Amino acid sequence: MSIPLRSPLAAGPAAPTEPERTTHAAINAVWRLEAARIIGAVARMVRDVGRAEELAQDALVAALEHWPRDGLPDNPAAWLMTTAKHRALDGLRQSALHARKHEELGADLEALQAHVVPDFVDALDAARQDDIGDDLLRLIFTACHPVLATEARVALTLRLLGGLTTAEIARAFLQPEPTIAQRIVRAKRTLTAAKVPFEVPQAADRAERLDSVLAVIYLVFNEGYAASAGDDWMRPALCDEALRLGRTLAELVPHEAEVHGLLALMEIQASRLHARSDAEGRPVLLPEQDRTRWDPLLIRRGLAALERSAGLGGALGPYALQAAIGACHARAARAEDTDWPQIVALYDALAQVAPSPVVELNRAVAVGMAFGPAEALAIVDGLNAEPALQRYPWLASVRGDLLLKLGRSDEARAEFERAAALTANTRDRELLRLRARQCP
């Protein structure tokens, strides 16, 4: 049974001392940074992600017991890794003894300690032992295995790779903590029952699995960038986690164009986070944002990742195309300098490689900015019958904005009110109702 990853500071009545607070802060920081690597290394040994997480948490509990008393070790990350591996070896030793396989035990332990080439590496790749053999990469592909439902992949990824507690994941997605806990437990059981190997898939299946990994990371980022429900318009911590996962993945598979495309998209979008709300937390839409508050470092990182993706032949990948759209905004010093015809062309390309009603709706917005609201409204009206958009608040919002620009205020007001009724986010609802009231 997994041990809750929470600080024991609140367990007793006595207030923690300053050294205790410092030690526990260090433990939390090290765990958040190293949890995925520790779980990945142990999972390679025990071949069970759920068991690996339990062993890693056992090492964390040992740190909570020893470090406040003995002081921080010189290398906290190595201490946790060594402790977890020792516990894994003890478990393997006991299992082998119970099975009366002493000779096999010795061979297994020797192989584990020698870090042999994993058996899943492609035959052509085995000789060079490239980055595909990295424990962290295996953990990413395992947590995002298609045998799991999307919600389970997201929760398990944040738990194993983000180091988030069940309570933190529950707060981020506005779900009851028991629901998230059950989802994570079921996900680990599903992986075990399906006998999902702890590996990166071979070349034939890698592209499909990579798509799943990228989709999970971007889903996490999007929930942080524009929260689907609750009182907060954004949850920057989720954006930070998704960016960290994206950067890690780009280091592990540096030759995958769409990985760099997704990273470019997230870096560019994240550059606007500080400008997307005012001092009271109210949304600030793109045309009204103070672009001096956009983060120039994240923009440079995003543009560099976009160039890297194009250099790998991925300029027309779905994430790279969306990143290129973001780059058009990032390069414009003022809203009126935005190259909207170029954005329309990029959406045309995106509609070819990844068609969806939402892409078409976003394309309509760009058409309205480039060629006028009347042409855009015709596109939007053609989307009214799309089943996927029946309860999508931004269809009504976009239609309201176009109607307002055409001077059809009463219709615009009704659309903004309809959009407000459909959204589950408090800040979005307030903004849409304000726009309805402002219709002349």
Side-chain angles (χ1 to χ4, degrees):
M1 183 174 184
S2 296
I3 300 171
L5 303 183
R6 63 184 179 216
S7 170
L9 293 178
T17 65
E18 186 60 32
E20 288 175 332
R21 281 195 292 268
T22 301
T23 301
H24 281 89
I27 293 172
N28 290 334
V30 172
W31 177 257
R32 183 63 62 89
L33 290 172
E34 300 296 331
R37 290 179 177 84
I38 295 169
I39 295 170
V42 175
R44 173 166 48 84
M45 299 169 69
V46 301
R47 297 288 167 175
D48 185 316
V49 169
R51 179 61 182 150
E53 188 197 9
E54 291 176 0
L55 291 166
Q57 291 180 16
D58 287 348
L60 175 65
V61 171
L64 290 169
E65 293 172 351
H66 289 281
W67 294 6
R69 183 188 65 218
D70 303 334
L72 292 176
D74 292 335
N75 190 331
W79 191 101
L80 286 170
M81 180 71 80
T82 301
T83 302
K85 283 186 172 182
H86 281 170
R87 294 185 181 228
L89 288 171
D90 287 343
L92 290 171
R93 191 175 290 114
Q94 291 176 7
S95 297
L97 287 171
H98 291 160
R100 300 178 181 275
K101 294 182 179 180
H102 300 281
E103 293 181 1
E104 291 181 36
L105 168 66
D108 287 345
L109 295 182
E110 182 180 350
L112 286 168
Q113 292 166 343
H115 299 290
V116 296
V117 178
D119 57 8
F120 64 83
V121 179
D122 294 347
L124 294 176
D125 293 341
R128 53 192 176 95
Q129 298 183 40
D130 61 10
D131 48 75
I132 287 297
D134 190 279
D135 292 332
L136 191 55
L137 188 59
R138 299 178 218 170
L139 187 59
I140 291 174
F141 275 89
T142 302
C144 297
H145 195 283
V147 73
L148 301 176
T150 299
E151 296 83 359
R153 294 180 213 170
V154 170
L156 193 60
T157 298
L158 288 175
R159 178 62 175 266
L160 299 182
L161 292 148
L164 273 64
T165 66
T166 303
E168 287 171 327
I169 300 170
R171 284 198 301 271
F173 288 93
L174 302 180
Q175 295 281 330
E177 188 173 344
T179 300
I180 295 297
Q182 292 172 6
R183 189 172 294 168
I184 292 170
V185 169
R186 283 197 298 268
K188 290 185 287 190
R189 286 176 179 169
T190 298
L191 293 175
T192 301
K195 297 183 179 179
V196 172
F198 183 66
E199 64 178 27
V200 175
Q202 295 188 355
D205 302 320
R206 198 172 296 155
E208 177 188 359
R209 292 273 293 277
L210 183 61
D211 287 344
S212 174
V213 171
L214 297 179
V216 167
I217 293 175
Y218 193 41
L219 192 156
V220 172
F221 181 87
N222 267 339
E223 185 60 30
Y225 191 76
S228 58
D231 296 331
D232 298 319
W233 199 42
M234 298 178 293
R235 300 191 181 101
L238 283 180
C239 292
D240 291 343
E241 289 299 330
L243 273 171
R244 188 168 67 82
L245 290 171
R247 291 166 183 164
T248 299
L249 190 60
E251 292 176 1
L252 295 175
V253 284
H255 305 301
E256 292 286 351
E258 268 294 78
V259 172
H260 295 285
L262 173 60
L263 182 58
L265 174 58
M266 295 192 297
E267 300 273 18
I268 292 171
Q269 285 187 312
S271 72
R272 306 179 202 148
L273 284 174
H274 294 304
R276 295 188 74 237
S277 59
D278 61 17
E280 284 74 41
R282 293 172 299 205
V284 179
L285 299 180
L286 183 61
E288 287 80 40
Q289 287 175 17
D290 178 1
R291 299 191 175 209
T292 64
R293 298 187 66 200
W294 289 3
D295 190 321
L297 175 60
L298 290 178
I299 291 174
R300 287 197 298 271
R301 293 180 66 129
L303 294 178
L306 184 59
E307 185 177 351
R308 182 80 179 272
S309 177
L312 292 168
L316 295 180
Y319 294 114
L321 284 169
Q322 293 176 75
I325 292 167
C328 288
H329 294 293
R331 294 187 179 107
R334 303 174 302 165
E336 54 266 34
D337 298 332
T338 306
D339 188 348
W340 285 107
Q342 174 64 17
I343 292 177
V344 172
L346 289 167
Y347 270 120
D348 288 341
L350 183 61
Q352 293 294 317
V353 299
S356 79
V358 173
V359 168
E360 190 65 13
L361 180 61
N362 289 331
R363 176 179 168 274
V365 173
V367 167
M369 298 300 294
F371 308 116
E375 188 170 339
L377 184 61
I379 298 173
V380 172
D381 285 345
L383 295 171
N384 282 330
E386 284 286 347
L389 299 181
Q390 290 306 300
R391 298 195 59 78
Y392 190 61
W394 307 116
L395 175 63
S397 175
V398 169
R399 193 167 189 276
D401 185 68
L402 295 172
L403 290 168
L404 186 61
K405 290 176 178 177
L406 290 169
R408 296 160 62 177
S409 298
D410 290 342
E411 294 173 82
R413 185 183 304 109
E415 290 295 334
F416 287 133
E417 289 173 349
R418 184 164 72 92
L422 289 173
T423 183
N425 183 278
T426 302
R427 294 294 188 179
D428 282 332
R429 190 181 305 116
E430 291 171 351
L431 174 64
L432 291 165
R433 286 174 175 167
L434 176 63
R435 297 206 68 189
R437 291 194 300 270
Q438 289 176 338
C439 289

